[in-house]
Amino acid sequence: MRKGKAMLSVALAAAMTLGSAVPALADGDKTKVVFMSRDSGDTPIAKVYEDQIARFMEENPDIEVQNDSIYEEAAYNNKLKVALSTGETPSIFYYPAIAGLTEWAQNGVLLDLTDSLDADQEWKDSFLDGALETYDLSAYGADGIYALPNELNVDAIFYNKALFEKAGITETPQTMDDLYDAIDKLVAAGITPFGVGGKNTWVMGHIFNNILAKRIGREGIIKLGTGEKKWTDEDVVECLQITKDLKEKGAFAEGFEGMDYNTQMNQFLTGEVAMISHSSPIIPEMLNSESEILDDISFFPFPYFTDKEEFKDTHVVYTSGWMISGTMSDEEKEATLKLVKYMTTKDAIQERMDAAMRVAPYKDIDAPEDAPQIFKDMVEYTGTISDSVGEYFDYDTCSTLVDTSRNGILNMMLSDTAEDTAATIQADIDANRPQ
């Protein structure tokens, strides 16, 4: 689940003013690196980070790494906001945005990683094809790559094989027509096709985002974010209408608009519904549940439209990145890049994947031998992706777009037309997107 990216906008002006400040060095001759992620506490990935940082400091006694990671979202956002506003930008940090990084990039708060990557071709080539391009901000007037992809949340449709078999569905849908046919068969068999917790608006937002990706592609979504396309354009309105039509086809349970995410997951894990639209982090969540149907769960890529085959291989992948401070001294920059490279070696990445079943945006990384088959399949599938796109609002600098669009989509499912929904969203962008 991903939320809005407007949390830190208040800090921007102060960050730009104070961006030239640099954190003080550690005591003695040690160079200080501040690492700040959303993984802390007793989570498996947090423990691996702690171990890797400890080993790094043992091997590099001249560098002190301060781990300021915070798990809780609001607390993390607040601490990052304070750090930026005081000019004490963490050496390495996480922020859920792409286009929203532009102003920081333009004002030197973020480091352009292009030269560092070009200087170490082996390191650069270790990333999956297209992964680095996710953080190329050239389309927004900031030439360069301003973050390193760290984790991938790969969207897919997870389904119950037993319910598909009960409905007479012998093959997983490849095209949207196949999916429509599967929905009809499930409805005829008395099975609800999709579990959807509409009350949590991101759920329908993800379904719409996949439809958008399969009909206008990565370039179309980026143009939507930069303003070269509008929500009121015919093809975007069409995507909204296709989303709305899923309800008319009986794809969702009665009253899904008022259901929450927990209800959605309970319905799926108890075999009440046949499918959910979700991303790869749901795999460990499902495996940690006490569900009795885990052996029946698999996944397939979101289907494509036969009249838009050029976007057949455009897959929705939510990328989590590491941003590097652009306000550091040369000594701090060198130490920070040394840590980043250490934590992106094949062994380090493999260790994190083994511990937490997180999909990594790197080549030649394998799922653990003892991992469940569904995770092995997800890792293999991820390795085939060469054309990916994130959420549409990642590419837009309008800070209100997340809530306006997701609430608009939910209202559309309840009553509004696709045309009115598009007009409402576009009006909000026109009023709130920075010029």
Side-chain angles (χ1 to χ4, degrees), residues 224-276:
L224 193 62
T226 59
E228 295 176 68
K229 284 183 64 62
K230 294 184 177 295
W231 282 75
T232 48
D233 287 355
E234 183 178 351
D235 52 357
V236 181
V237 174
E238 180 186 39
C239 291
L240 288 166
Q241 186 63 54
I242 290 169
T243 306
K244 184 178 177 68
D245 287 346
L246 286 171
K247 177 180 178 179
E248 304 306 317
K249 294 178 184 296
F252 314 130
E254 187 73 25
F256 75 93
E257 298 94 340
M259 294 180 184
D260 61 17
Y261 171 75
N262 289 333
T263 300
Q264 165 190 313
M265 291 309 301
N266 182 66
Q267 287 179 335
F268 184 63
L269 292 174
T270 57
E272 293 180 45
V273 300
M275 296 177 280
I276 56 170

Side-chain angles (χ1 to χ4, degrees), residues 68-83:
D68 282 353
S69 299
I70 300 175
Y71 179 79
E72 201 278 319
E73 184 179 43
Y76 177 91
N77 293 336
N78 184 62
K79 185 166 185 173
L80 181 58
K81 179 177 70 175
V82 171

Side-chain angles (χ1 to χ4, degrees), residues 19-223:
S20 60
V22 296
L25 295 182
D27 292 340
D29 296 327
K30 292 187 177 183
T31 302
K32 184 176 181 179
V33 174
V34 178
F35 176 82
M36 192 170 171
S37 76
R38 283 281 313 282
D39 294 291
S40 66
D42 294 330
T43 63
I45 194 72
K47 291 178 180 178
V48 174
Y49 278 144
E50 289 174 1
D51 289 344
Q52 291 181 347
I53 288 172
R55 290 198 301 269
F56 174 80
M57 288 193 292
E58 287 179 5
E59 296 175 19
N60 298 274
D62 58 330
I63 300 175
E64 177 188 341
V65 181
Q66 178 177 310
N67 187 352
D68 282 353
S69 299
I70 300 175
Y71 179 79
E72 201 278 319
E73 184 179 43
Y76 177 91
N77 293 336
N78 184 62
K79 185 166 185 173
L80 181 58
K81 179 177 70 175
V82 171
L84 288 165
S85 67
T86 58
E88 297 181 351
T89 307
S91 312
I92 308 169
F93 65 98
Y94 159 78
Y95 183 58
I98 296 175
L101 300 175
T102 302
E103 192 170 356
W104 292 344
Q106 291 173 332
N107 289 278
V109 174
L110 298 180
L111 179 67
D112 178 4
L113 292 157
T114 305
D115 290 344
S116 299
L117 289 162
D118 288 344
D120 190 339
Q121 198 64 40
E122 183 178 356
W123 181 44
K124 182 177 181 180
D125 290 344
S126 69
F127 293 88
L128 284 178
D129 293 340
L132 290 169
E133 284 75 4
T134 300
Y135 293 105
D136 183 343
L137 301 182
S138 299
Y140 305 94
D143 290 342
I145 296 171
Y146 288 90
L148 296 171
N150 177 46
E151 291 179 8
L152 299 179
N153 296 344
V154 182
D155 252 15
I157 294 180
F158 294 83
Y159 74 105
N160 185 319
K161 292 181 284 186
L163 292 183
F164 266 41
E165 183 178 349
K166 182 178 178 180
I169 304 168
T170 58
E171 296 182 356
T172 55
Q174 303 296 309
T175 69
M176 284 300 289
D177 288 335
D178 294 338
L179 182 62
Y180 296 149
D181 182 60
I183 289 171
D184 290 342
K185 288 180 178 178
L186 288 163
V187 171
I191 301 168
T192 300
F194 276 93
V196 172
K199 186 176 180 180
N200 296 97
T201 57
W202 63 268
V203 177
M204 280 306 306
H206 278 203
I207 292 175
F208 167 73
N209 195 55
N210 277 277
I211 291 170
L212 198 65
K214 294 296 185 180
R215 287 210 67 81
I216 70 172
R218 173 182 171 82
E219 184 177 348
I221 288 177
I222 292 176
K223 287 183 176 180

